[in-house]
Amino acid sequence: MEIRIGVTQAMRELMVEIDDEKAQSKLKSAVEAALTGKTETLSVVDNKGREIVIPSAKIAYVEFGAADGSRKLGFGS
């Protein structure tokens, strides 16, 4: 699944690929916690093991889409 994360005051969005369904579910829960203020950061680990940490206050939006590019679910602040 392709995940796009918009960060305030950044010209480009972050794009991350996560194929594991369990990891996708955990990420959705982490995004909800970050957007509701329950956590101060959002941590994302992609398929290659790279970790991205974003301050919750800087998240503009998060889009969850299928690997083929069609959008399925989006979150916004």
Side-chain angles (χ1 to χ4, degrees):
M1 175 183 286
E2 180 180 273
I3 294 100
R4 296 175 185 243
I5 304 170
V7 180
T8 59
Q9 299 180 352
M11 294 182 68
R12 295 175 58 181
E13 64 191 7
L14 300 171
M15 288 194 292
V16 180
E17 283 285 331
I18 299 177
D19 294 329
D20 181 29
E21 288 185 31
K22 191 174 188 179
Q24 292 170 10
S25 178
K26 287 176 74 174
L27 178 59
K28 287 179 184 180
S29 297
V31 167
E32 290 176 7
L35 293 177
T36 58
K38 293 179 182 175
T39 61
E40 293 184 17
T41 60
L42 172 64
S43 178
V44 180
V45 179
D46 69 2
N47 287 340
K48 296 179 181 179
R50 295 178 292 197
E51 184 174 12
I52 301 167
V53 180
I54 306 161
S56 297
K58 297 293 183 180
I59 299 172
Y61 62 89
V62 179
E63 289 183 350
F64 291 85
D68 63 3
S70 63
R71 306 277 190 259
K72 288 188 175 183
L73 178 65
F75 293 94
S77 59

